[in-house]
Amino acid sequence: EVQLVESGGGLVQPGGSLRLSCAASGFTFSNYAMSWVRQAPGKGLEWVSIILGSGAGTYYADSVKGRFTISRDNSKNTLYLQMNSLRAEDTAVYYCAKDLIAAPGLFDYWGQGTLVTVSS
Amino acid sequence: DIVMTQSPDSLAVFLGERATINCKSSQSVLYSSNNKNYLAWYQQKPGQPPKVLIYWASTRESGVPDRFSGSGSGTDFTLTISSLQAEDVAVYYCQQYYSTPYTFGQGTKLEIK
């Protein structure tokens, strides 16, 4: 059974940093691209970033480019999102999502999410 | 960026009746080399993560009831629920995975009339 468990969310001041983690199990982690998708309170879904299975390719939404860094440790089956220079508009539930092997960007499994609140 | 626009924003349907949600992309999401539309539909219930229902515009995900169907090609797509059940109350999103940034529609809130 595929499981994705996010952690690392919390309250942070504007300009601060946070690192999210996503522990994956139930599939061969290194074979799949993985993504982060966020949802601001009461709002819709926004794709944030994707990393290919090998870790060689990464892509970002313009809204986070230069501030967020996605990475993975295939030996630990864990996905990360390093978030720097956080802004109030980054407040959201952050979901880790597994991409379908034949279609990066198509999310077939999602974690339960971790809430990031950026506020002074 | 490809902009995804859904209509309507909200929809109320009687139990057992048909519900139809439309999605329009600002450019084609049909990849000519494999003739596939890079379009998915997700269902999100309150307090839960999204769940994929349909991908490649019309392929139902395993375990999804057959009352859910997807159609369309190029820039215009439709999600149809043939006979609305109480458990279908949710927000529905379309999403293109043709190119980054992957983008979602704004969502359609489906309720019981």
Side-chain angles (χ1 to χ4, degrees), chain A residues 35-110:
Chain A
S35 292
W36 290 97
V37 178
R38 68 183 181 183
Q39 186 169 36
K43 301 297 184 184
L45 300 166
E46 180 188 17
W47 170 78
V48 172
S49 182
I50 186 172
I51 184 167
L52 302 184
S54 63
T58 59
Y59 302 87
Y60 299 91
D62 284 347
S63 57
V64 307
K65 201 173 295 182
R67 300 187 299 123
F68 290 11
T69 302
I70 192 171
S71 62
R72 63 193 297 159
D73 185 336
N74 287 342
S75 68
K76 295 182 178 179
N77 290 348
T78 303
L79 176 71
Y80 303 100
L81 186 67
Q82 177 66 43
M83 304 186 296
N84 298 331
S85 303
L86 282 161
R87 306 166 179 166
E89 54 265 34
D90 296 318
T91 294
V93 173
Y94 284 74
Y95 294 103
C96 156
K98 170 184 167 290
D99 293 46
L100 194 70
I101 196 165
L106 171 59
F107 315 120
D108 60 352
Y109 288 92
W110 299 63

Side-chain angles (χ1 to χ4, degrees), chain B residues 8 10-22 60 66-71 78-85 88 92 108 110-113:
Chain B
S10 63
L11 180 62
V13 174
F14 288 109
L15 288 173
E17 294 297 304
R18 179 186 300 259
T20 300
I21 300 170
N22 299 301
R60 198 179 304 113
D66 61 6
R67 64 180 180 273
F68 291 91
S69 63
S71 62
T78 300
L79 174 70
T80 301
I81 307 172
S82 60
S83 176
L84 188 70
Q85 304 301 302
D88 300 335
Y92 293 83
T108 294
L110 178 58
E111 299 173 313
I112 305 295
K113 187 182 288 186

Side-chain angles (χ1 to χ4, degrees), chain B:
Chain B
D1 298 3
I2 299 176
V3 177
M4 308 299 290
T5 304
Q6 292 179 227
S7 61
D9 290 334
S10 63
L11 180 62
V13 174
F14 288 109
L15 288 173
E17 294 297 304
R18 179 186 300 259
T20 300
I21 300 170
N22 299 301
C23 175
K24 189 173 185 68
S25 57
S26 61
Q27 63 189 75
S28 176
V29 297
L30 174 62
Y31 195 39
S32 56
S33 66
N34 60 9
N35 201 38
K36 288 189 172 186
N37 287 284
Y38 284 57
L39 188 284
W41 289 96
Y42 298 85
Q43 175 193 64
Q44 187 177 32
K45 297 181 179 180
Q48 295 184 20
K51 170 189 171 184
V52 65
L53 299 175
I54 303 283
Y55 55 94
W56 302 130
S58 61
T59 300
R60 198 179 304 113
E61 171 72 324
S62 175
V64 172
D66 61 6
R67 64 180 180 273
F68 291 91
S69 63
S71 62
S73 185
T75 61
D76 292 278
F77 301 92
T78 300
L79 174 70
T80 301
I81 307 172
S82 60
S83 176
L84 188 70
Q85 304 301 302
E87 60 266 32
D88 300 335
V89 168
V91 178
Y92 293 83
Y93 296 92
C94 63
Q95 180 232 347
Q96 65 80 17
Y97 48 101
Y98 182 89
S99 64
T100 59
Y102 306 121
T103 47
F104 294 87
Q106 78 276 19
T108 294
K109 186 174 184 179
L110 178 58
E111 299 173 313
I112 305 295
K113 187 182 288 186

